[in-house]
C-alpha cells in the first residue's frame, strides 16, 4: 500500500469500499505499490474509482477522470473532489454529439471539461455557440450524480 492509499482509506473509512491490488489475478497489471479503491454507490448507477500509486492518483466517476500528484495540495484537492461528488455538490455532464462527445465536471457553477474529449477546445465562455451547434445537430446530454434522487442542475448552464 502507498501513502495516497492510506490517506484515502482513512478519509473514506465511513464508506463501503472494495480494494483491489496486483494480488488479484484480474489486476495483475498493477504495480506493487498501486491499488484501486472503489467507493460503492448505494444510491445510483456508478461507483467512484480511485487508482493510487506512490506518485499519483486518478479519480474516475462515470466518464470523468482527473489526475492528482502526491503533494499535500493535490491530495487535499482529491479529497475535496470526492466530498463534492459524494455530497451531490458536483456532477458529471456528458454531451453526446455523434461521433464525438464532451465530458464536463460541474462544481460551483463552473464547468471543467475533460481535455481528451474537448476536441474543439470549447470554453465555458463560448458555451452559447457550442450549445447552438449541439441543438442543431440534436445532441444528447446526461447528468451523473452520486445520488440521482437529490440532483440539482444549474439550469443556466444547459440546453433544455
Amino acid at each position: 500500500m502507498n501513502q495516497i492509499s492510506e490517506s484515502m482509506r482513512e478519509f473514506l473509512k465511513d464508506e463501503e469500499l472494495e480494494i483491489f491490488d496486483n494480488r488479484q489475478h484480474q489486476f495483475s497489471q498493477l504495480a506493487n505499490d498501486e491499488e484501486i479503491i472503489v467507493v460503492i454507490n448505494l444510491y445510483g448507477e456508478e461507483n467512484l474509482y480511485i487508482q493510487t500509486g506512490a506518485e499519483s492518483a486518478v479519480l474516475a466517476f462515470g466518464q470523468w477522470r482527473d489526475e492528482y500528484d502526491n503533494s499535500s495540495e493535490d491530495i487535499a484537492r482529491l479529497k475535496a473532489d470526492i466530498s463534492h461528488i459524494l455530497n451531490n455538490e458536483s456532477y458529471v455532464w456528458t454531451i453526446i454529439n455523434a461521433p464525438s462527445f464532451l465530458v464536463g465536471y460541474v462544481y460551483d457553477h463552473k464547468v471543467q471539461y475533460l481535455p481528451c474529449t474537448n476536441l474543439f477546445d470549447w470554453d465555458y465562455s463560448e458555451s452559447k455557440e457550442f450549445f447552438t451547434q449541439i441543438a442543431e445537430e440534436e445532441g444528447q446530454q446526461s447528468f451523473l450524480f452520486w445520488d440521482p434522487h437529490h440532483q440539482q442542475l444549474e439550469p443556466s448552464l444547459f440546453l433544455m
Side-chain angles (χ1 to χ4, degrees):
M1 182 177 359
N2 59 66
Q3 188 175 14
I4 298 173
S5 283
E6 288 178 21
S7 177
M8 290 297 99
R9 285 183 185 202
E10 175 61 26
F11 177 69
L12 295 166
K13 67 183 177 204
D14 295 331
E15 301 296 328
E16 185 173 336
L17 304 177
E18 287 187 35
I19 311 290
F20 300 98
D21 60 28
N22 64 5
R23 292 176 288 182
Q24 287 116 339
H25 175 70
Q26 65 271 36
F27 296 97
S28 60
Q29 76 280 7
L30 293 174
N32 287 335
D33 69 342
E34 289 183 312
E35 285 188 336
I36 297 176
I37 301 171
V38 182
V39 183
I40 306 300
N41 188 339
L42 303 175
Y43 308 103
E45 301 174 8
E46 292 282 339
N47 294 326
L48 187 73
Y49 297 87
I50 309 156
Q51 182 170 350
T52 67
E55 301 295 321
S56 64
V58 176
L59 172 66
F61 183 54
Q63 295 191 35
W64 177 254
R65 306 282 181 277
D66 204 356
E67 295 184 33
Y68 308 80
D69 63 32
N70 62 355
S71 68
S72 58
E73 295 83 12
D74 260 23
I75 298 305
R77 187 172 61 90
L78 172 59
K79 289 177 180 179
D81 287 348
I82 291 169
S83 289
H84 298 315
I85 291 170
L86 297 182
N87 292 313
N88 260 28
E89 296 168 353
S90 65
Y91 51 94
V92 177
W93 172 35
T94 304
I95 305 167
I96 302 168
N97 182 16
S100 59
F101 66 100
L102 180 65
V103 178
Y105 176 78
V106 181
Y107 173 70
D108 195 29
H109 310 291
K110 296 181 181 88
V111 180
Q112 177 185 356
Y113 295 117
L114 189 61
C116 66
T117 65
N118 193 0
L119 301 178
F120 301 107
D121 198 28
W122 292 103
D123 187 354
Y124 177 64
S125 63
E126 299 170 307
S127 59
K128 288 184 181 181
E129 178 184 341
F130 177 68
F131 290 161
T132 301
Q133 177 183 341
I134 295 295
E136 288 172 355
E137 297 175 9
E138 298 182 11
Q140 299 176 344
Q141 299 181 76
S142 68
F143 304 94
L144 176 61
F145 285 82
W146 182 254
D147 183 348
H149 296 99
H150 294 99
Q151 65 185 23
Q152 293 184 353
L153 295 174
E154 180 59 38
S156 64
L157 295 176
F158 312 109
L159 295 171
M160 296 297 176

